[in-house]
């Protein structure tokens, strides 16, 4: 049977944030809160949907991706380092520092695999092909997993853990790899989604419980959904030009939260997309998967 198309869905503005570069949304089921980052303002936010409250920690550097940790902490990818953020004190502790071979390179999107290893990609837009994908393990070791990228972006795992997805935004492609959970190795790269004929870039992504791929389309005014094999299932319009990343949250993981950006937009474009930088919510047709905490496989 062909894949089902999406029902008609709409997005609701749930947080008037005005972020410059909102990214990295992460749901905490225990606390029922959404963590997210405003990269260029050096902030890690926590949003409580039940109350509408949002507060933040200033981390002093570009924090682009986060993961849950033990001990009331978050793992944070910051510039060229991996750090922990103590949510009680706001203290930031560097855990590992990387050396990139091209100027202007920094970390971008990251997530933990089902075994608790943190996968984090770099971006080097002024030096195409010089970005890479790394794996930071709970024992502190680091592996380079993929090279020849430019903006390593949205990544995720299929519900059965056998497929790993990785986006390279300037290529306008989402790649699929065979994933070995025991060893943490990836192989047999194929193109799952190719948007090369459109003037948009796939940004952050998330996977639902049926294995469908949800990706934000930078400059596309929408979130798109594809089947596990890459068939287009539909798009959900947003009132902003630059959505950045979706994730599933809510009590039953049936809400898609979407971060957005205002950076780089002209005054005219800001007026057209007045809510750029805000956080949106969409009632999902299928629930998502809970995030994998660091070190807890």
């Amino acid at each position: 049977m062909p894949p089902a198309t999406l029902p008609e869905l709409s997005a609701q503005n749930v947080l008037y944030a005005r972020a410059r570069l909102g990214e990295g949304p992460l749901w905490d089921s225990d606390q029922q809160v959404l963590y997210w980052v405003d990269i260029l303002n050096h902030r890690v936010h926590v949003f409580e949907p039940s109350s509408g409250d949002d507060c933040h920690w200033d981390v002093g550097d570009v924090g682009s991706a986060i993961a849950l940790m033990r001990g009331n902490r978050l793992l944070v990818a910051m510039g060229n380092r991996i750090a922990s953020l103590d949510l009680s004190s706001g203290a930031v502790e560097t855990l590992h520092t990387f050396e990139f071979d091209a100027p202007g390179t920094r970390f971008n999107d990251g997530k933990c695999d089902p075994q608790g290893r943190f996968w984090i990609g770099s971006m080097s837009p002024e030096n195409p092909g010089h970005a890479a994908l790394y794996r930071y393990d709970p024992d502190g070791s680091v592996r380079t997993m993929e090279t020849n990228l430019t903006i390593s972006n949205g990544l995720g795992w299929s519900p059965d853990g056998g497929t790993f997805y990785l986006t390279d935004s300037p290529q306008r492609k989402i790649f699929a790899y065979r994933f070995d959970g025991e060893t943490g190795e990836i192989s047999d790269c194929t193109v799952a989604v190719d948007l090369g004929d459109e003037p948009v870039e796939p940004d952050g992504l998330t996977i639902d419980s049926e294995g469908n791929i949800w990706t934000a389309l930078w400059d596309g005014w929408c979130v798109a959904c594809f089947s596990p094999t890459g068939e287009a299932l539909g798009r959900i319009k947003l009132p902003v030009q630059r959505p950045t990343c979706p994730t599933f949250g809510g009590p039953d993981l049936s809400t898609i939260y979407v971060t957005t950006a205002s950076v780089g937009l002209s005054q005219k474009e800001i007026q057209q997309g007045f809510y750029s930088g805000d956080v949106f919510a969409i009632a999902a047709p299928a629930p998502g998967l809970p995030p994998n905490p660091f070190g807890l496989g």
Side-chain angles (χ1 to χ4, degrees), residues 162-213:
T163 302
F164 168 67
Y165 297 100
L166 173 69
T167 303
D168 192 3
S169 293
Q171 292 192 57
R172 298 176 181 167
K173 293 176 181 177
I174 300 173
F175 299 98
Y177 298 77
R178 185 185 303 276
F179 181 71
D180 187 321
E182 183 176 349
T183 65
E185 298 295 331
I186 54 176
S187 60
D188 302 331
C189 178
T190 60
V191 176
V193 175
D194 189 345
L195 296 171
D197 59 349
E198 297 191 48
V200 300
E201 293 187 356
D203 201 323
L205 67 75
T206 191
I207 310 295
D208 69 24
S209 58
E210 297 180 354
N212 298 314
I213 306 162

Side-chain angles (χ1 to χ4, degrees), residues 63-114:
S64 61
I66 48 181
L68 300 173
M69 293 183 75
R70 293 186 182 97
N72 198 32
R73 295 178 298 160
L74 292 178
L75 191 70
V76 187
M78 300 176 59
N80 71 333
R81 59 194 170 114
I82 303 295
S84 68
L85 170 64
D86 187 313
L87 299 178
S88 298
S89 67
V92 175
E93 177 187 359
T94 297
L95 303 176
H96 191 92
T97 300
F98 293 71
E99 292 188 9
F100 299 130
D101 63 1
T105 302
R106 69 161 173 84
F107 278 130
N108 196 38
D109 203 1
K111 281 194 178 99
C112 287
D113 66 22

Side-chain angles (χ1 to χ4, degrees), residues 5-7 9 208 210 212 214 225 236 248 254 256 282-287:
T5 56
L6 289 182
L9 302 170
D208 69 24
E210 297 180 354
N212 298 314
W214 295 79
C225 183
I236 303 169
F248 285 88
S254 290
I256 303 172
I282 301 162

Side-chain angles (χ1 to χ4, degrees), residues 37-292:
V37 298
D38 187 352
I39 296 176
L40 299 181
N41 281 327
H42 303 173
R43 293 173 177 174
V44 174
H45 287 252
V46 57
F47 169 57
E48 185 178 59
S50 63
S51 67
D53 292 340
D54 181 85
C55 61
H56 67 265
W57 297 267
D58 291 306
V59 295
D61 198 354
V62 288
S64 61
I66 48 181
L68 300 173
M69 293 183 75
R70 293 186 182 97
N72 198 32
R73 295 178 298 160
L74 292 178
L75 191 70
V76 187
M78 300 176 59
N80 71 333
R81 59 194 170 114
I82 303 295
S84 68
L85 170 64
D86 187 313
L87 299 178
S88 298
S89 67
V92 175
E93 177 187 359
T94 297
L95 303 176
H96 191 92
T97 300
F98 293 71
E99 292 188 9
F100 299 130
D101 63 1
T105 302
R106 69 161 173 84
F107 278 130
N108 196 38
D109 203 1
K111 281 194 178 99
C112 287
D113 66 22
Q115 291 72 32
R117 298 168 291 228
F118 188 57
W119 295 63
I120 178 68
S122 62
M123 59 179 286
S124 191
E126 297 179 2
N127 300 277
H130 282 266
L133 175 71
Y134 305 90
R135 196 187 78 207
Y136 176 68
D137 289 5
D139 64 5
S141 62
V142 174
R143 288 277 306 279
T144 301
M145 305 305 297
E146 187 61 285
T147 57
N148 298 317
L149 303 170
T150 298
I151 299 180
S152 177
N153 222 322
L155 64 171
W157 287 263
S158 60
D160 66 4
T163 302
F164 168 67
Y165 297 100
L166 173 69
T167 303
D168 192 3
S169 293
Q171 292 192 57
R172 298 176 181 167
K173 293 176 181 177
I174 300 173
F175 299 98
Y177 298 77
R178 185 185 303 276
F179 181 71
D180 187 321
E182 183 176 349
T183 65
E185 298 295 331
I186 54 176
S187 60
D188 302 331
C189 178
T190 60
V191 176
V193 175
D194 189 345
L195 296 171
D197 59 349
E198 297 191 48
V200 300
E201 293 187 356
D203 201 323
L205 67 75
T206 191
I207 310 295
D208 69 24
S209 58
E210 297 180 354
N212 298 314
I213 306 162
W214 295 79
T215 182
L217 297 186
W218 179 269
D219 283 338
W221 299 82
C222 69
V223 172
C225 183
F226 299 89
S227 76
T229 51
E231 292 88 355
L233 302 183
R235 300 186 178 188
I236 303 169
K237 294 181 180 179
L238 293 169
V240 295
Q241 182 173 334
R242 292 183 166 172
T244 56
C245 189
T247 199
F248 285 88
D252 53 3
L253 296 175
S254 290
T255 299
I256 303 172
Y257 290 101
V258 185
T259 51
T260 69
S262 60
V263 64
L265 297 177
S266 67
Q267 187 60 42
K268 180 180 179 180
E269 289 170 328
I270 289 288
Q271 290 172 347
Q272 291 173 336
F274 183 75
Y275 299 105
S276 295
D278 290 358
V279 177
F280 294 83
I282 301 162
L289 303 171
N292 302 307

